[in-house]
Every structure is written in C-alpha cells, then in structure tokens.
Amino acid sequence: MKKYLPLLMAPLGILEGAVMYSRGIPDHRLLEKSDLLTHFTEKLPPEPPSELVHLPSGEEEKARPVPDSAQSPEDLRRKWEEEVDKVKLVCGEMAYQVVEKNMTLSSQDAMLEEQLGRLSALDARVRDLEETRQWLAEQVAGQQDRIMEGKEAYDTLWAHTGHQEGALRQLEEEGRELVERLIQVKMQAAEDQNYRNERIERVKQARLSKELKKAMRRTVNISETLDPPSIVEPPAHKQELLEVETCEKRWKRPFRSASATSMTLARCMDVMKGLLDFRKRRGHSVSGTPEARYTSIPVCGVSCLPARAQDIQEAHCSEVNAVCFSSNSSLLATGGADRLIRLWNVVGGRLEADQMLEGAGGSVTSLEFEPSGCYLLAATYNKAAQLWKVGESQSKETLSGHTDKVTAAKFKLTRQQAVTGSRDRTVKEWDLNKVSCSRTIDGVSYCNDVVCGDHLIISGHNDQKIRFWDSRVPRCIQVIPVEGRVTSLSISSDQLHLLSCSRDDALKVIDLRANNIRQVFRADGFKCGSDWTKAVFSPDKNFALAGSADGGLYIWNLDSGKLETSLYGPHSVSINAVAWCCAGTHVVSVDQGKKAVLWS
C-alpha cells in the first residue's frame, strides 16, 4: 500500500496545482508537479497492486481487481501509462472545472461585494430615512398638538360666536323694535302735527265763519264803504252822542236799505270766493295749508333721434343700474352696484366727471333729480332712500322705514314730497321737510318702479300688474294687468300717457285719461334683460326708448307704432337703463359692463 501512495497522491497534486493556478500561482509550479508525477510513475514496481484503487473522475467508477496472473513489466507499464493518461485527462478536466468554479466563485464574490456595498448604502439610506421618519413623526405630533389646540380654540370661538350671534340677533330685534317705535313715534308726531294744524285751521275757519255770520247780521251804511283813514274820529263826548243817535235811528228804521244790503252781499261773495280759491289750492281740502308746486319744466319742441355714440366711459367699478338727467340737461347722474353715485357734465358731446356722492349703504337702483335741479333722490338696497343736495358730497337725509330693498324713489309734483317703492310690498309717501313717512300703501306685490302725477301715484309690480293710487283716497283706484313682470314706468311730460316695460319683452303705452293700453311695442331682437330694465319717453313724447339684453338700443315711433331705429356698437352686455335729456339732444345708456355711453 505504501508503494502506491505516491501514485495516489499524484492526482491530488494535480488538483492542488489546478487550485493554485485558479488562485493565481505561476504555471512553472504546475509543470514541476507534472514532472514529479512522471518521476513517481517510472519508479513503480512491476507487480500490480492487489488492492482496489478509487480514481476521481466525473462519475465514481467501480474498483477493478488486479489479476493474479503474472504479467510482463512492459504490459504493466503500458497499462499504467494508459491509466496515468486517463488519470491525467480526468485531472485536467477536474482542474478545468475547478478553474471555472473558481472563476464563478470570483464573480460571485465580486457580486457579493457589490451587493454588500449596495446593502451598506441602503443601510445608510435606511438610517437617514429612519431619522427623517422620526423627525416627521415629531413634526406630526407637534402638528397634532397644534391642531388640537386650534380645535379647542375653534370650539371656544364657535361657542363665543354663537353667543355673539345670539346677542347680535337680540340687538337686531331690539334695533328693529326701536326703528318701528321710532317710525311709530314719527308717524304719531306727524299725526299730532297734522291734528294741530287741522285744529288751528278749524279754529281759523270757525272764527272766519263767525265773522261771516256777524257780517251777515250787521247793518252796513253807505259810509262804511269809505276808507277808514279818511274818517275823522270825533271826541269822546261827541262819540257817545253819535252812538245814542245811531241807536235811535235803528229803532226808528226797522228795515235795511237796499244799498246797505247790496254792499253786505258783495263783501260776503268776496269772502266766499277767497274760500273757494283756497280750497282749490289745497286740493279740495279746506283744513290744509296751500301746497307749493314746482314750476313746469320747459319741453323741447322736437327730439333728435340718436344716431351714433359720441363718448364711452367706464362709469363705475361694477354694473351701472340707474341714470338720469337734470332739468337743465347739462348734468347727468349715474348709480351702480358699487354703492356710488357719480355726477357728470355734458360738455361738447363728451362726459366729464364732476363729483362723486358717497353715503349710499347699498347698490343704487333708481335716481331722479328734483324738477328744480337742486336735489337728487336715490333708491338703494340698504332698505332706504338717500337725498343729496347738488354740490354736497355727503347725504343730506335718509328716508328709512322699508323692511326690504328700495327699488324706486321719485319726487312728487308738490314741493318737499317724495314717493318710494320697495320689495317689502309697500309704497310710501314722504314729507321731506319732516323727513317722515306720511302714508304707507300696501302694494300687495313686489314694487319695481313708481311714477307720480298730479294727485296720482302709479306703481309697477312683480305680479304683472300696474296699480293706480290717489293721494286723497286710501285704496287702489285702478289696476291694469300686463303679460309680464313690470320692470319700469315712465310718465309723459303732459301727464297723459304712461310707458311700461315688462319681462314679456314688450313696451306698452297706457292712456291715463281712459286707463287702457293704447299701444304695444315689440321688435325682433329686443329682450328685456333684467327686473330693473328702464324705458323712457322722449321729451316731446314722440318716441319710446329702451335697451335690450343684447346691448342694442331700440327706439319706437309713437305716431306710426313701428320701430324707428336700433343702434348697436359700444354695449356688449345687457343695457340696464336709459335717459333722454329734456332738451332732446342727447341720450345716455348704461349697462351691466360698467359702461355709460353718450349718444347724439
């Protein structure tokens, strides 16, 4: 067995050489191992081994027994050389496999090192992310604490707000009650003042009646017709003698002379004529004081039809709802949803900004100048009407008493009186001297516009009806139904015709003498754009003017009943209101796009 030990160790040496080669050992070491293997092979004894030898090959081979018969050394040598060649071949293959495995192992080691590098980088990234997570967790915890604190503060503020809202509602109710009480007090004061005035007038009337009765019973001599200063008063003792003589003459002459009677009747007729004139001035009310009326405004003979836009101005910061001219046709007022009223001068076919009026608490819905041109009245959405004096920037008076938006405010023909209409379904008459409501009319429906005649108040309503009220009668005297919600009313300068605009896209002319609809104007393309679209008569009452929802200006001829012309250009949105100056030379239109356009 010891003899064959070097032979068995040779493959191991070859394997070791392969391993050393795979590990980077030089090639001459492998050659030395091969020479050593050859040397040991040459020194092998001729006798074959009697034991089984296990050879390392790709598959385990079974050990073959050594034959017992004697063989020659050459045969044994040849066999062993063949065996050695086979062993060398197997060892070479195994060495090649070992090299491949080592190369694979080296690549796996490189991949492992790369993976370990990536793993270390990922570990560092994980540590960074963990630190970030901890920091974010701390931030979240802090935010949650702040959120909880904010929620507690919000709950506290909510509770406080609830208490404040309750207190506000209570204060509003108290304010409404105070306003109602103030209105009642003002109304009571007005009634008391009216009662005192009536009482004074009754006393004066009673005194006058008493004087008339005394005059009727009194005997008047011809001498009484002479002027009192021409009569020389006699001395006191002569005065007594004259009185005695007069008494004696009365007893002697029981009947009046014809001349005396005629003089007495003439004086009574003069007094009665004065009373009748007084009643006529008072509007058939003997107990009142004479009403001061505005002087009539001169009206132009012929109105000029507008043909082109001369000036375009961005009048307000939001849509413009109202526009009107003063009686002198040179001053223009516009009001809009920005709670401002602007005055403009019409100079040389252009609009020049003159003044800005402040103090309106809400959107301005209606404007009208006093016939004298000294005051301007505006209806606003803050449940009140404002009165300005032209030339002053601050409001002079506030007419408060409505409980909803005021949609119209107009002056009456008698001085210091006005009328307002509101969405609280009422129409109110106002005494501007006392700044108090003198009468409240239940309008049944939302009131969108009002106009005033001699003793007539006309209101247009949301229930598609036009109602007529007399200032001397407590109830409605006439109702005219139309086919749409009434948006505006305009009365002619001669107080004989009324122009209405309604949401059925039609204008109607009403004859106030017969209280019936005389004409209906429609046109292709004309559409009423809102519940406050305004239409007006021309100053000479020959034309009707209105703005459409498509930005067009439509003019109808009252004589022919047909559309006279339609103008387009500056307006690209719905026109809210129009105004025709008293001189008949200019027209102004305002729209929902902040514009005011001067036409001529």
Side-chain angles (χ1 to χ4, degrees), residues 35 84 123 251 266 290 402 437 599:
D35 294 339
V84 168
D123 288 338
W251 284 104
H402 287 287
C437 177
W599 304 79

Side-chain angles (χ1 to χ4, degrees), residues 49-335:
S50 60
E51 297 178 0
L52 294 177
V53 178
H54 294 277
L55 297 176
S57 61
E59 294 180 358
E60 290 186 358
E61 298 181 356
K62 295 181 179 180
R64 290 175 295 183
V66 179
D68 295 333
S69 61
Q71 293 181 358
S72 64
E74 288 80 4
D75 294 334
L76 292 176
R77 182 179 180 85
R78 191 182 305 111
K79 288 180 180 179
W80 283 111
E81 285 177 356
E82 292 176 0
E83 293 294 334
V84 168
D85 292 335
K86 291 181 182 179
V87 170
K88 286 181 179 181
L89 181 61
V90 172
C91 288
E93 290 178 358
M94 293 182 67
Y96 180 74
Q97 291 179 4
V98 168
V99 172
E100 286 184 349
K101 295 297 182 181
N102 283 323
M103 291 176 67
T104 304
L105 181 62
S106 298
S107 63
Q108 293 293 330
D109 289 339
M111 291 178 61
L112 179 61
E113 290 178 359
E114 183 181 355
Q115 294 293 334
L116 289 175
R118 291 180 60 188
L119 182 60
S120 61
L122 291 175
D123 288 338
R125 179 64 177 166
V126 167
R127 286 192 297 272
D128 294 339
L129 292 176
E130 184 66 24
E131 293 177 358
T132 305
R133 187 191 67 79
Q134 291 178 359
W135 181 78
L136 290 176
E138 293 176 357
Q139 293 292 324
V140 168
Q143 290 291 342
Q144 288 179 350
D145 294 338
R146 284 192 290 272
I147 289 171
M148 293 302 296
E149 293 176 359
K151 186 176 182 303
E152 293 177 358
Y154 173 77
D155 294 338
T156 305
L157 288 175
W158 180 260
H160 182 67
T161 303
H163 294 305
Q164 293 294 328
E165 287 181 351
L168 178 61
R169 285 193 294 270
Q170 184 176 359
L171 289 175
E172 287 178 349
E173 292 177 358
E174 293 177 357
R176 284 193 293 269
E177 292 177 358
L178 289 174
V179 170
E180 292 176 358
R181 287 169 57 187
L182 179 61
I183 293 172
Q184 292 177 359
V185 168
K186 286 188 175 182
M187 293 177 63
Q188 186 64 36
E191 292 177 358
D192 294 342
Q193 185 65 32
N194 292 335
Y195 175 74
R196 286 193 294 270
N197 293 336
E198 292 177 0
R199 185 175 180 182
I200 292 172
E201 293 299 328
R202 284 198 298 268
V203 170
K204 290 181 180 179
Q205 186 64 27
R207 186 182 301 166
L208 184 60
S209 300
K210 187 175 181 181
E211 291 178 359
L212 286 174
K213 290 179 181 179
K214 288 175 66 177
M216 293 287 290
R217 291 194 302 267
R218 181 180 174 187
T219 302
V220 182
N221 294 326
I222 301 296
S223 58
E224 290 180 2
T225 60
L226 300 176
D227 294 334
S230 64
I231 300 175
V232 180
E233 187 176 355
H237 63 282
K238 293 184 179 181
Q239 181 71 26
E240 293 176 0
L241 293 175
L242 288 174
E243 290 177 1
V244 173
E245 289 177 359
T246 302
C247 291
E248 289 177 354
K249 289 179 180 179
R250 287 177 182 175
W251 284 104
K252 290 179 181 178
R253 189 180 64 187
F255 299 102
R256 301 175 184 174
S257 63
S259 61
T261 305
S262 62
M263 291 299 297
T264 303
L265 289 176
R267 185 176 180 184
C268 290
M269 289 299 294
D270 291 338
V271 173
M272 294 301 295
K273 185 178 180 181
L275 285 175
L276 290 175
D277 292 340
F278 175 77
R279 291 179 63 188
K280 187 180 294 184
R281 291 194 305 269
R282 186 69 183 101
H284 306 291
S285 176
V286 179
S287 61
T289 58
E291 291 180 342
R293 299 174 64 85
Y294 294 105
T295 56
S296 59
I297 301 173
V299 180
C300 68
V302 177
S303 297
C304 300
L305 284 176
R308 60 188 180 86
Q310 277 196 321
D311 192 16
I312 303 171
Q313 296 284 342
E314 186 169 333
H316 292 264
C317 299
S318 57
E319 65 175 310
V320 190
N321 297 328
V323 60
C324 69
F325 276 100
S326 65
S327 56
N328 60 8
S329 301
S330 62
L331 189 62
L332 177 76
T334 58

Side-chain angles (χ1 to χ4, degrees), residues 311-313 332 344-347 349-353 588 596-598:
D311 192 16
I312 303 171
Q313 296 284 342
L332 177 76
W344 308 79
N345 289 320
V346 182
V347 180
R350 295 188 63 84
L351 295 176
E352 295 182 357
V588 173
V597 180
L598 178 66

Side-chain angles (χ1 to χ4, degrees), residues 9-24:
M9 293 297 294
L12 295 178
I14 295 172
L15 290 176
E16 183 182 357
V19 173
M20 291 174 67
Y21 173 77
S22 66
R23 292 181 181 179

